[in-house]
Amino acid sequence: MSIVRTIIVSSLLCAMVSVSVFGAAVPAASAAVSGVPTAIADPAGTPASKESGRTVLPPLNLPSVSKAMAGLPNKEATAALVFVGTPTQSWMGATGVSDIRTGAPARADGRFRIGSITKIFTAAVVLQLAAEGKVDLDKPIQSYLPGLLPESYPSIQVGQLLNYTSGLPSPKLPDGVEEADLPGIQWTPEEVVRLAATQPMEFEPGTRQHYANINYFLAGLLIEAVTGNTYETEVESRIITPLRLYDTYLPGSDVRILGTHALGYQAVEQDGKPQLVDVTEGSQSFTWAAGQIISTTSDLDTFMTSLFRGQLLPEDQLQHMFTVPNVTAWSADGKDAGPATMSMGMSRAVINGITFWGKTGARPGYANGMFATRDLERRVVYSVNSTDAKGAGENKLGMRIAMSAFGVLPQSSP
């Protein structure tokens, strides 16, 4: 049974609203989504209206969003939480169940592990330190963290960590340790870096782009070295507390998700039959400054809106988050993987000529996304309780929800 509970609130130029009750369900009616109107391009490459200079998108079609997220639980996901915003309207909803045993409905205000969306928080703190003159993005990370990387490694600039052009290798797990074992192990950041430092560099720094968590482990250690405080303390004091993100926190060594949340499940085969295993709890130390944060869709919308509006960073530093290096993406097989798409902390996606900025992130049981147009004409945050959140394939349900919210969902899509 699919349950969709929603909130629809309008307020002028309001990015996020706080409510305590859920309204009536939005019907999952089918609605055709029109194409993007002809428009001129602004300097960022996003279609813009000649009159307003704003991104041109089809009107927000809430029944289409509701339809995209309906039908849960199923074999691909047990729940989905969604927040959609425009300059005048905010909507949040949930579908599916928070617990497959009890059938309790998922709640739109539920917390979840945001995974690699954490990198935006980490990048923002490093860029704040750069704005304060405490970090030089062009300076080698070795000068801030002496002795941590092998002497045989070349100099790697701080900025190259943030935009994944460092060439650093990923950690190699010790003998006898499998990826499935990681939730049961507590690692220190230094231990994870040392596991990576046993491997050769992938490429010369600045020549390619390869998305890898190791870059943000070093960014987290940089934050600690420069400030004298823990990474967690700096994220909390610089972002979470000022923005009043009351449902966002860094769990540290705590393996639980505190407060309201939907359980996360992983599909596995047991005795020749598919089974869902509860993977909600587990150590996040192997992802640390690259993916440990727990939050909600509404808190992430507040964070994204504040960031894009320049409330967290001066323009010079903020521009780094909207600049993709002019290099090709690195492929482990040595083939050209196409143009780079990652900036410092975020990624760029272009659909139907419209540019979106944000980040996806996944942890076992939770596959998420946070995207908006640069001018915040449309924003979407989603968390899907995928039954294979860390699988090789893309989060098709999350992508379908996001595209329906942006009004670029192909009419042939299911």
Side-chain angles (χ1 to χ4, degrees), residues 29-99:
S30 175
V33 178
S34 62
V36 177
T38 302
I40 61 173
D42 67 12
T46 300
S49 164
K50 290 182 179 180
E51 292 78 15
S52 66
R54 292 186 175 276
T55 304
V56 173
L57 287 166
L60 179 59
N61 187 332
L62 293 179
S64 177
V65 178
S66 178
K67 180 181 178 180
M69 60 190 288
L72 300 183
N74 59 29
K75 66 178 182 179
E76 295 179 351
T78 56
L81 319 180
V82 180
F83 189 108
V84 181
T86 75
T88 60
Q89 188 177 33
S90 295
W91 179 95
M92 62 190 298
T95 184
V97 298
S98 62
D99 187 326

Side-chain angles (χ1 to χ4, degrees), residues 8-231:
I8 303 177
V9 184
S10 295
S11 59
L12 292 176
L13 299 177
C14 178
M16 192 275 290
V17 291
S18 176
V19 295
S20 57
V21 296
F22 295 98
V26 171
S30 175
V33 178
S34 62
V36 177
T38 302
I40 61 173
D42 67 12
T46 300
S49 164
K50 290 182 179 180
E51 292 78 15
S52 66
R54 292 186 175 276
T55 304
V56 173
L57 287 166
L60 179 59
N61 187 332
L62 293 179
S64 177
V65 178
S66 178
K67 180 181 178 180
M69 60 190 288
L72 300 183
N74 59 29
K75 66 178 182 179
E76 295 179 351
T78 56
L81 319 180
V82 180
F83 189 108
V84 181
T86 75
T88 60
Q89 188 177 33
S90 295
W91 179 95
M92 62 190 298
T95 184
V97 298
S98 62
D99 187 326
I100 60 174
R101 295 170 302 171
T102 67
R107 288 179 46 167
D109 61 347
R111 290 173 171 171
F112 53 90
R113 300 191 188 280
I114 73 173
S116 286
I117 297 174
T118 298
K119 293 182 175 74
I120 306 181
F121 288 76
T122 304
V125 172
V126 174
L127 290 171
Q128 285 180 347
L129 293 170
E132 296 164 10
K134 298 175 182 177
V135 167
D136 185 340
L137 298 179
D138 297 325
K139 194 173 179 179
I141 186 62
Q142 289 94 329
S143 64
Y144 293 102
L145 302 171
L148 187 59
L149 296 177
E151 292 185 4
S152 60
Y153 280 11
S155 293
I156 298 168
Q157 296 176 359
V158 172
Q160 291 170 339
L161 296 175
L162 297 184
N163 66 16
Y164 312 99
T165 61
S166 69
L168 285 168
S170 295
K172 181 181 179 181
L173 294 178
D175 292 341
V177 177
E178 304 291 337
E179 188 171 351
D181 301 325
L182 297 179
I185 305 174
Q186 290 288 348
W187 305 83
T188 68
E190 291 84 359
E191 286 174 334
V192 175
V193 172
R194 283 195 289 269
L195 291 175
T198 61
Q199 308 302 304
M201 292 284 292
E202 293 179 337
F203 50 81
E204 186 69 19
T207 62
R208 294 286 189 273
Q209 184 177 80
H210 181 207
Y211 179 76
N213 283 352
I214 190 63
N215 295 283
Y216 278 72
F217 270 80
L218 288 166
L221 289 170
L222 168 66
I223 291 169
E224 294 191 337
V226 169
T227 65
N229 297 318
T230 66
Y231 162 77

Side-chain angles (χ1 to χ4, degrees), residues 159-411:
Q160 291 170 339
L161 296 175
L162 297 184
N163 66 16
Y164 312 99
T165 61
S166 69
L168 285 168
S170 295
K172 181 181 179 181
L173 294 178
D175 292 341
V177 177
E178 304 291 337
E179 188 171 351
D181 301 325
L182 297 179
I185 305 174
Q186 290 288 348
W187 305 83
T188 68
E190 291 84 359
E191 286 174 334
V192 175
V193 172
R194 283 195 289 269
L195 291 175
T198 61
Q199 308 302 304
M201 292 284 292
E202 293 179 337
F203 50 81
E204 186 69 19
T207 62
R208 294 286 189 273
Q209 184 177 80
H210 181 207
Y211 179 76
N213 283 352
I214 190 63
N215 295 283
Y216 278 72
F217 270 80
L218 288 166
L221 289 170
L222 168 66
I223 291 169
E224 294 191 337
V226 169
T227 65
N229 297 318
T230 66
Y231 162 77
E232 289 81 3
T233 295
E234 289 298 310
V235 173
E236 289 167 357
S237 64
R238 290 172 172 271
I239 298 177
I240 294 175
T241 299
L243 296 184
R244 300 180 181 179
L245 306 181
Y246 298 125
D247 287 311
T248 301
Y249 73 100
L250 297 95
S253 61
D254 194 340
V255 300
R256 302 168 298 170
I257 299 178
L258 303 178
T260 299
H261 62 279
L263 300 180
Y265 298 93
Q266 175 66 39
V268 299
E269 188 171 299
Q270 294 181 345
D271 300 325
K273 297 181 180 179
Q275 302 286 339
L276 291 183
V277 176
D278 186 344
V279 292
T280 307
E281 296 187 356
S283 167
Q284 305 303 305
S285 58
F286 206 77
T287 193
W288 192 51
Q292 71 159 301
I293 291 178
I294 292 169
S295 189
T296 63
T297 59
S298 59
D299 268 10
L300 288 180
D301 178 75
T302 299
F303 169 59
M304 177 169 59
T305 302
S306 301
L307 179 68
F308 282 36
R309 286 178 175 169
Q311 295 170 354
L312 292 174
L313 292 168
E315 180 59 31
D316 287 349
Q317 280 69 41
L318 180 61
Q319 191 57 36
H320 288 298
M321 304 191 86
F322 295 97
T323 302
V324 175
N326 186 24
V327 297
T328 57
W330 182 84
S331 175
D333 59 9
K335 296 180 180 179
D336 184 355
T341 59
M342 312 298 297
S343 65
M344 292 189 184
M346 293 201 291
S347 63
R348 179 184 64 197
V350 181
I351 304 174
N352 289 2
I354 300 173
T355 301
F356 304 97
W357 294 93
K359 188 76 181 67
T360 57
R363 299 303 300 148
Y366 304 89
N368 322 293
M370 181 182 90
F371 287 92
T373 54
R374 177 65 184 88
D375 56 10
L376 296 170
E377 279 295 295
R378 191 71 49 85
R379 317 180 311 274
V380 63
V381 183
Y382 64 82
S383 178
V384 174
N385 290 94
S386 171
T387 57
D388 191 22
K390 298 291 289 182
E394 66 178 20
N395 179 7
K396 294 181 180 179
L397 175 56
M399 290 296 294
R400 189 161 67 245
I401 292 170
M403 292 176 72
S404 67
F406 287 124
V408 294
L409 183 67
Q411 295 186 23

